Amino acid sequence: MTVLPGGGRVQYRLDDEASLCSIDILAQAVERICVKGVLELRMLRNALREAATSPTPDAVKFAFAMFSRVDGDYRRLIAHEALPLATEQRGRYAAPRPRAVRRPRML
């Protein structure tokens, strides 16, 4: 668990596929917006790749720390790129929703 500057806490769960998918989605988004010559984006991309291939708590903490150091404009751009990627993956890990069954009307 990590304490954020505002006092909030972030808990790392690496025991499910959805967490690993989230890391992978962020890595893909960073890859898409990576600008040549911007060191912090390359470092973030590498940290996310490491966290995706070796999802230890230290690797995830480091990737989170790198993401928080990236300029706010780049973070918004990453989020903008990650949204369609996450939408594509939405059904992959979500629990199936129960279907409502209607009873026939009695007249």
Side-chain angles (χ1 to χ4, degrees):
M1 186 176 317
T2 300
V3 178
L4 299 175
R9 295 177 184 264
V10 175
Q11 209 167 28
Y12 302 103
R13 287 195 57 212
L14 303 174
D15 60 345
D16 62 8
E17 288 294 316
S19 297
L20 299 175
C21 181
S22 298
I23 293 169
D24 188 47
I25 286 170
L26 277 178
Q28 290 177 43
V30 172
E31 187 71 39
R32 286 183 178 187
I33 65 119
C34 207
V35 177
K36 195 173 188 176
V38 180
L39 181 62
E40 60 186 354
L41 290 177
R42 286 196 333 235
M43 291 176 67
L44 174 59
R45 180 192 63 201
N46 293 342
L48 287 167
R49 283 180 183 168
E50 179 66 28
T53 58
S54 176
T56 63
D58 288 338
V60 174
K61 286 178 190 177
F62 183 70
F64 178 77
M66 290 305 304
F67 185 77
S68 65
R69 289 183 190 141
V70 171
D71 181 66
D73 290 334
Y74 283 126
R75 282 197 307 261
R76 281 186 286 283
L77 192 56
I78 291 166
H80 182 74
E81 285 295 321
L83 189 58
L85 294 169
T87 302
E88 291 172 11
Q89 298 291 330
R90 182 183 323 166
R92 188 171 171 191
Y93 297 107
R97 298 168 84 188
R99 298 188 82 190
V101 178
R102 290 187 174 197
R103 292 183 182 172
R105 283 186 166 179
M106 301 296 268
L107 298 174

PDB file of all heavy atoms in Angstrom, residues 2 8 10 12 14 16 25 27 35-36 41 43 47 50 52 58-59 62 67 75 79 85 87 92 105:
ATOM      1  N   THR A   2       0.473   2.261  -0.734  1.00  0.00           N
ATOM      2  CA  THR A   2       1.214   3.504  -0.833  1.00  0.00           C
ATOM      3  C   THR A   2       0.333   4.654  -0.386  1.00  0.00           C
ATOM      4  O   THR A   2      -0.846   4.690  -0.691  1.00  0.00           O
ATOM      5  CB  THR A   2       1.661   3.747  -2.289  1.00  0.00           C
ATOM      6  OG1 THR A   2       2.494   2.663  -2.676  1.00  0.00           O
ATOM      7  CG2 THR A   2       2.414   5.044  -2.420  1.00  0.00           C
ATOM      8  N   GLY A   8      -4.495  10.034   0.660  1.00  0.00           N
ATOM      9  CA  GLY A   8      -5.186   8.851   0.155  1.00  0.00           C
ATOM     10  C   GLY A   8      -4.233   7.667   0.068  1.00  0.00           C
ATOM     11  O   GLY A   8      -3.020   7.813   0.145  1.00  0.00           O
ATOM     12  N   VAL A  10      -3.292   3.959  -2.009  1.00  0.00           N
ATOM     13  CA  VAL A  10      -3.461   3.136  -3.193  1.00  0.00           C
ATOM     14  C   VAL A  10      -3.049   1.724  -2.819  1.00  0.00           C
ATOM     15  O   VAL A  10      -1.968   1.516  -2.281  1.00  0.00           O
ATOM     16  CB  VAL A  10      -2.576   3.632  -4.363  1.00  0.00           C
ATOM     17  CG1 VAL A  10      -2.679   2.689  -5.542  1.00  0.00           C
ATOM     18  CG2 VAL A  10      -2.977   5.028  -4.764  1.00  0.00           C
ATOM     19  N   TYR A  12      -2.295  -2.118  -4.074  1.00  0.00           N
ATOM     20  CA  TYR A  12      -1.899  -2.855  -5.262  1.00  0.00           C
ATOM     21  C   TYR A  12      -2.395  -4.283  -5.135  1.00  0.00           C
ATOM     22  O   TYR A  12      -2.086  -4.965  -4.181  1.00  0.00           O
ATOM     23  CB  TYR A  12      -0.376  -2.863  -5.419  1.00  0.00           C
ATOM     24  CG  TYR A  12       0.206  -1.482  -5.508  1.00  0.00           C
ATOM     25  CD1 TYR A  12       0.841  -0.908  -4.424  1.00  0.00           C
ATOM     26  CD2 TYR A  12       0.107  -0.751  -6.677  1.00  0.00           C
ATOM     27  CE1 TYR A  12       1.367   0.353  -4.498  1.00  0.00           C
ATOM     28  CE2 TYR A  12       0.623   0.518  -6.764  1.00  0.00           C
ATOM     29  CZ  TYR A  12       1.260   1.063  -5.670  1.00  0.00           C
ATOM     30  OH  TYR A  12       1.773   2.313  -5.752  1.00  0.00           O
ATOM     31  N   LEU A  14      -2.295  -7.659  -7.289  1.00  0.00           N
ATOM     32  CA  LEU A  14      -1.691  -8.268  -8.470  1.00  0.00           C
ATOM     33  C   LEU A  14      -2.149  -9.706  -8.657  1.00  0.00           C
ATOM     34  O   LEU A  14      -1.552 -10.444  -9.417  1.00  0.00           O
ATOM     35  CB  LEU A  14      -0.165  -8.224  -8.336  1.00  0.00           C
ATOM     36  CG  LEU A  14       0.405  -6.829  -8.146  1.00  0.00           C
ATOM     37  CD1 LEU A  14       1.892  -6.902  -7.886  1.00  0.00           C
ATOM     38  CD2 LEU A  14       0.116  -5.972  -9.343  1.00  0.00           C
ATOM     39  N   ASP A  16      -5.104 -10.729  -9.785  1.00  0.00           N
ATOM     40  CA  ASP A  16      -6.179 -10.945 -10.748  1.00  0.00           C
ATOM     41  C   ASP A  16      -5.769 -10.439 -12.123  1.00  0.00           C
ATOM     42  O   ASP A  16      -4.909  -9.589 -12.270  1.00  0.00           O
ATOM     43  CB  ASP A  16      -7.482 -10.312 -10.287  1.00  0.00           C
ATOM     44  CG  ASP A  16      -7.402  -8.796 -10.141  1.00  0.00           C
ATOM     45  OD1 ASP A  16      -6.386  -8.209 -10.535  1.00  0.00           O
ATOM     46  OD2 ASP A  16      -8.358  -8.210  -9.638  1.00  0.00           O
ATOM     47  N   ILE A  25      -2.826  -2.038 -20.510  1.00  0.00           N
ATOM     48  CA  ILE A  25      -3.528  -0.969 -21.235  1.00  0.00           C
ATOM     49  C   ILE A  25      -2.769   0.345 -21.105  1.00  0.00           C
ATOM     50  O   ILE A  25      -2.581   1.071 -22.086  1.00  0.00           O
ATOM     51  CB  ILE A  25      -4.976  -0.837 -20.728  1.00  0.00           C
ATOM     52  CG1 ILE A  25      -5.809  -2.008 -21.242  1.00  0.00           C
ATOM     53  CG2 ILE A  25      -5.595   0.491 -21.171  1.00  0.00           C
ATOM     54  CD1 ILE A  25      -7.183  -2.109 -20.624  1.00  0.00           C
ATOM     55  N   ALA A  27       0.413   0.688 -20.545  1.00  0.00           N
ATOM     56  CA  ALA A  27       1.654   0.557 -21.321  1.00  0.00           C
ATOM     57  C   ALA A  27       1.389   0.795 -22.805  1.00  0.00           C
ATOM     58  O   ALA A  27       2.161   1.486 -23.482  1.00  0.00           O
ATOM     59  CB  ALA A  27       2.273  -0.823 -21.099  1.00  0.00           C
ATOM     60  N   VAL A  35       6.593  10.384 -27.216  1.00  0.00           N
ATOM     61  CA  VAL A  35       7.179  11.427 -28.045  1.00  0.00           C
ATOM     62  C   VAL A  35       8.696  11.266 -27.989  1.00  0.00           C
ATOM     63  O   VAL A  35       9.274  11.161 -26.910  1.00  0.00           O
ATOM     64  CB  VAL A  35       6.773  12.830 -27.527  1.00  0.00           C
ATOM     65  CG1 VAL A  35       7.430  13.920 -28.338  1.00  0.00           C
ATOM     66  CG2 VAL A  35       5.273  12.974 -27.520  1.00  0.00           C
ATOM     67  N   LYS A  36       9.293  11.257 -29.156  1.00  0.00           N
ATOM     68  CA  LYS A  36      10.744  11.110 -29.224  1.00  0.00           C
ATOM     69  C   LYS A  36      11.418  12.246 -28.465  1.00  0.00           C
ATOM     70  O   LYS A  36      11.069  13.415 -28.635  1.00  0.00           O
ATOM     71  CB  LYS A  36      11.179  11.125 -30.689  1.00  0.00           C
ATOM     72  CG  LYS A  36      12.569  10.641 -30.915  1.00  0.00           C
ATOM     73  CD  LYS A  36      12.847  10.542 -32.405  1.00  0.00           C
ATOM     74  CE  LYS A  36      14.169   9.873 -32.640  1.00  0.00           C
ATOM     75  NZ  LYS A  36      14.409   9.677 -34.057  1.00  0.00           N
ATOM     76  N   LEU A  41       8.491   9.964 -20.510  1.00  0.00           N
ATOM     77  CA  LEU A  41       7.567   9.027 -21.145  1.00  0.00           C
ATOM     78  C   LEU A  41       8.251   7.699 -21.445  1.00  0.00           C
ATOM     79  O   LEU A  41       7.647   6.641 -21.275  1.00  0.00           O
ATOM     80  CB  LEU A  41       6.981   9.624 -22.424  1.00  0.00           C
ATOM     81  CG  LEU A  41       6.006  10.779 -22.231  1.00  0.00           C
ATOM     82  CD1 LEU A  41       5.556  11.325 -23.573  1.00  0.00           C
ATOM     83  CD2 LEU A  41       4.821  10.345 -21.397  1.00  0.00           C
ATOM     84  N   MET A  43      10.736   6.473 -19.753  1.00  0.00           N
ATOM     85  CA  MET A  43      10.930   5.819 -18.462  1.00  0.00           C
ATOM     86  C   MET A  43       9.621   5.205 -17.965  1.00  0.00           C
ATOM     87  O   MET A  43       9.615   4.092 -17.426  1.00  0.00           O
ATOM     88  CB  MET A  43      11.498   6.803 -17.446  1.00  0.00           C
ATOM     89  CG  MET A  43      12.928   7.200 -17.754  1.00  0.00           C
ATOM     90  SD  MET A  43      13.564   8.439 -16.626  1.00  0.00           S
ATOM     91  CE  MET A  43      13.615   7.523 -15.095  1.00  0.00           C
ATOM     92  N   ALA A  47       8.880   1.288 -17.269  1.00  0.00           N
ATOM     93  CA  ALA A  47       8.404   0.861 -15.951  1.00  0.00           C
ATOM     94  C   ALA A  47       7.113   0.053 -16.074  1.00  0.00           C
ATOM     95  O   ALA A  47       6.930  -0.958 -15.389  1.00  0.00           O
ATOM     96  CB  ALA A  47       8.203   2.068 -15.048  1.00  0.00           C
ATOM     97  N   GLU A  50       7.909  -3.378 -17.459  1.00  0.00           N
ATOM     98  CA  GLU A  50       8.478  -4.210 -16.400  1.00  0.00           C
ATOM     99  C   GLU A  50       7.386  -4.712 -15.463  1.00  0.00           C
ATOM    100  O   GLU A  50       7.364  -5.877 -15.078  1.00  0.00           O
ATOM    101  CB  GLU A  50       9.524  -3.421 -15.608  1.00  0.00           C
ATOM    102  CG  GLU A  50      10.147  -4.182 -14.466  1.00  0.00           C
ATOM    103  CD  GLU A  50      10.993  -5.363 -14.900  1.00  0.00           C
ATOM    104  OE1 GLU A  50      11.543  -5.354 -16.015  1.00  0.00           O
ATOM    105  OE2 GLU A  50      11.110  -6.320 -14.095  1.00  0.00           O
ATOM    106  N   ALA A  52       4.278  -5.149 -16.190  1.00  0.00           N
ATOM    107  CA  ALA A  52       3.435  -6.096 -16.913  1.00  0.00           C
ATOM    108  C   ALA A  52       4.087  -7.465 -17.028  1.00  0.00           C
ATOM    109  O   ALA A  52       3.422  -8.486 -16.891  1.00  0.00           O
ATOM    110  CB  ALA A  52       3.099  -5.559 -18.299  1.00  0.00           C
ATOM    111  N   ASP A  58       6.924  -4.145  -6.008  1.00  0.00           N
ATOM    112  CA  ASP A  58       7.925  -3.098  -6.242  1.00  0.00           C
ATOM    113  C   ASP A  58       7.857  -2.555  -7.664  1.00  0.00           C
ATOM    114  O   ASP A  58       7.972  -1.346  -7.885  1.00  0.00           O
ATOM    115  CB  ASP A  58       9.331  -3.614  -5.942  1.00  0.00           C
ATOM    116  CG  ASP A  58       9.577  -3.799  -4.454  1.00  0.00           C
ATOM    117  OD1 ASP A  58       8.863  -3.163  -3.645  1.00  0.00           O
ATOM    118  OD2 ASP A  58      10.480  -4.578  -4.102  1.00  0.00           O
ATOM    119  N   ALA A  59       7.661  -3.445  -8.635  1.00  0.00           N
ATOM    120  CA  ALA A  59       7.579  -3.005 -10.029  1.00  0.00           C
ATOM    121  C   ALA A  59       6.344  -2.137 -10.247  1.00  0.00           C
ATOM    122  O   ALA A  59       6.401  -1.115 -10.934  1.00  0.00           O
ATOM    123  CB  ALA A  59       7.559  -4.209 -10.967  1.00  0.00           C
ATOM    124  N   PHE A  62       6.862   1.280  -8.586  1.00  0.00           N
ATOM    125  CA  PHE A  62       7.752   2.110  -9.385  1.00  0.00           C
ATOM    126  C   PHE A  62       7.016   2.682 -10.597  1.00  0.00           C
ATOM    127  O   PHE A  62       7.158   3.869 -10.921  1.00  0.00           O
ATOM    128  CB  PHE A  62       8.978   1.316  -9.825  1.00  0.00           C
ATOM    129  CG  PHE A  62       9.966   2.133 -10.595  1.00  0.00           C
ATOM    130  CD1 PHE A  62      10.704   3.119  -9.976  1.00  0.00           C
ATOM    131  CD2 PHE A  62      10.147   1.921 -11.953  1.00  0.00           C
ATOM    132  CE1 PHE A  62      11.608   3.895 -10.691  1.00  0.00           C
ATOM    133  CE2 PHE A  62      11.046   2.688 -12.671  1.00  0.00           C
ATOM    134  CZ  PHE A  62      11.781   3.676 -12.038  1.00  0.00           C
ATOM    135  N   PHE A  67       4.379   7.275 -13.244  1.00  0.00           N
ATOM    136  CA  PHE A  67       3.183   7.900 -13.820  1.00  0.00           C
ATOM    137  C   PHE A  67       2.873   9.207 -13.096  1.00  0.00           C
ATOM    138  O   PHE A  67       2.509  10.196 -13.729  1.00  0.00           O
ATOM    139  CB  PHE A  67       1.995   6.951 -13.731  1.00  0.00           C
ATOM    140  CG  PHE A  67       0.763   7.476 -14.417  1.00  0.00           C
ATOM    141  CD1 PHE A  67       0.653   7.435 -15.798  1.00  0.00           C
ATOM    142  CD2 PHE A  67      -0.277   8.016 -13.688  1.00  0.00           C
ATOM    143  CE1 PHE A  67      -0.476   7.928 -16.434  1.00  0.00           C
ATOM    144  CE2 PHE A  67      -1.411   8.508 -14.309  1.00  0.00           C
ATOM    145  CZ  PHE A  67      -1.506   8.459 -15.688  1.00  0.00           C
ATOM    146  N   ARG A  75      -0.297  13.020 -18.834  1.00  0.00           N
ATOM    147  CA  ARG A  75      -1.168  12.074 -18.133  1.00  0.00           C
ATOM    148  C   ARG A  75      -2.572  12.108 -18.725  1.00  0.00           C
ATOM    149  O   ARG A  75      -3.199  11.064 -18.909  1.00  0.00           O
ATOM    150  CB  ARG A  75      -1.215  12.385 -16.637  1.00  0.00           C
ATOM    151  CG  ARG A  75       0.011  11.912 -15.896  1.00  0.00           C
ATOM    152  CD  ARG A  75      -0.230  11.847 -14.405  1.00  0.00           C
ATOM    153  NE  ARG A  75      -0.737  13.066 -13.842  1.00  0.00           N
ATOM    154  CZ  ARG A  75       0.001  13.972 -13.203  1.00  0.00           C
ATOM    155  NH1 ARG A  75       1.290  13.786 -13.048  1.00  0.00           N
ATOM    156  NH2 ARG A  75      -0.559  15.061 -12.708  1.00  0.00           N
ATOM    157  N   ALA A  79      -4.462   9.021 -20.572  1.00  0.00           N
ATOM    158  CA  ALA A  79      -5.816   8.591 -20.201  1.00  0.00           C
ATOM    159  C   ALA A  79      -6.738   8.600 -21.413  1.00  0.00           C
ATOM    160  O   ALA A  79      -7.562   7.692 -21.589  1.00  0.00           O
ATOM    161  CB  ALA A  79      -6.368   9.490 -19.102  1.00  0.00           C
ATOM    162  N   LEU A  85      -8.848   1.699 -25.435  1.00  0.00           N
ATOM    163  CA  LEU A  85      -8.229   0.394 -25.199  1.00  0.00           C
ATOM    164  C   LEU A  85      -8.956  -0.348 -24.081  1.00  0.00           C
ATOM    165  O   LEU A  85      -9.192  -1.552 -24.168  1.00  0.00           O
ATOM    166  CB  LEU A  85      -6.748   0.556 -24.836  1.00  0.00           C
ATOM    167  CG  LEU A  85      -5.843   1.095 -25.937  1.00  0.00           C
ATOM    168  CD1 LEU A  85      -4.477   1.452 -25.373  1.00  0.00           C
ATOM    169  CD2 LEU A  85      -5.702   0.077 -27.044  1.00  0.00           C
ATOM    170  N   THR A  87     -12.052   0.135 -23.198  1.00  0.00           N
ATOM    171  CA  THR A  87     -13.390  -0.205 -23.688  1.00  0.00           C
ATOM    172  C   THR A  87     -13.351  -1.503 -24.487  1.00  0.00           C
ATOM    173  O   THR A  87     -14.247  -2.341 -24.364  1.00  0.00           O
ATOM    174  CB  THR A  87     -13.949   0.942 -24.552  1.00  0.00           C
ATOM    175  OG1 THR A  87     -13.979   2.126 -23.753  1.00  0.00           O
ATOM    176  CG2 THR A  87     -15.346   0.635 -25.048  1.00  0.00           C
ATOM    177  N   ARG A  92     -13.804  -8.588 -21.387  1.00  0.00           N
ATOM    178  CA  ARG A  92     -12.857  -9.694 -21.230  1.00  0.00           C
ATOM    179  C   ARG A  92     -12.748 -10.172 -19.794  1.00  0.00           C
ATOM    180  O   ARG A  92     -12.609 -11.364 -19.544  1.00  0.00           O
ATOM    181  CB  ARG A  92     -11.493  -9.238 -21.747  1.00  0.00           C
ATOM    182  CG  ARG A  92     -10.480 -10.320 -21.813  1.00  0.00           C
ATOM    183  CD  ARG A  92      -9.263  -9.816 -22.542  1.00  0.00           C
ATOM    184  NE  ARG A  92      -8.187 -10.769 -22.448  1.00  0.00           N
ATOM    185  CZ  ARG A  92      -6.967 -10.527 -22.801  1.00  0.00           C
ATOM    186  NH1 ARG A  92      -6.655  -9.348 -23.288  1.00  0.00           N
ATOM    187  NH2 ARG A  92      -6.046 -11.437 -22.693  1.00  0.00           N
ATOM    188  N   ARG A 105     -47.270 -12.400 -19.197  1.00  0.00           N
ATOM    189  CA  ARG A 105     -48.403 -11.719 -18.572  1.00  0.00           C
ATOM    190  C   ARG A 105     -49.602 -12.664 -18.506  1.00  0.00           C
ATOM    191  O   ARG A 105     -49.907 -13.377 -19.443  1.00  0.00           O
ATOM    192  CB  ARG A 105     -48.801 -10.490 -19.358  1.00  0.00           C
ATOM    193  CG  ARG A 105     -47.911  -9.347 -19.152  1.00  0.00           C
ATOM    194  CD  ARG A 105     -48.526  -8.192 -19.861  1.00  0.00           C
ATOM    195  NE  ARG A 105     -47.891  -6.983 -19.430  1.00  0.00           N
ATOM    196  CZ  ARG A 105     -48.195  -5.799 -19.879  1.00  0.00           C
ATOM    197  NH1 ARG A 105     -49.142  -5.684 -20.799  1.00  0.00           N
ATOM    198  NH2 ARG A 105     -47.598  -4.734 -19.451  1.00  0.00           N
TER     199      ARG A 105
END
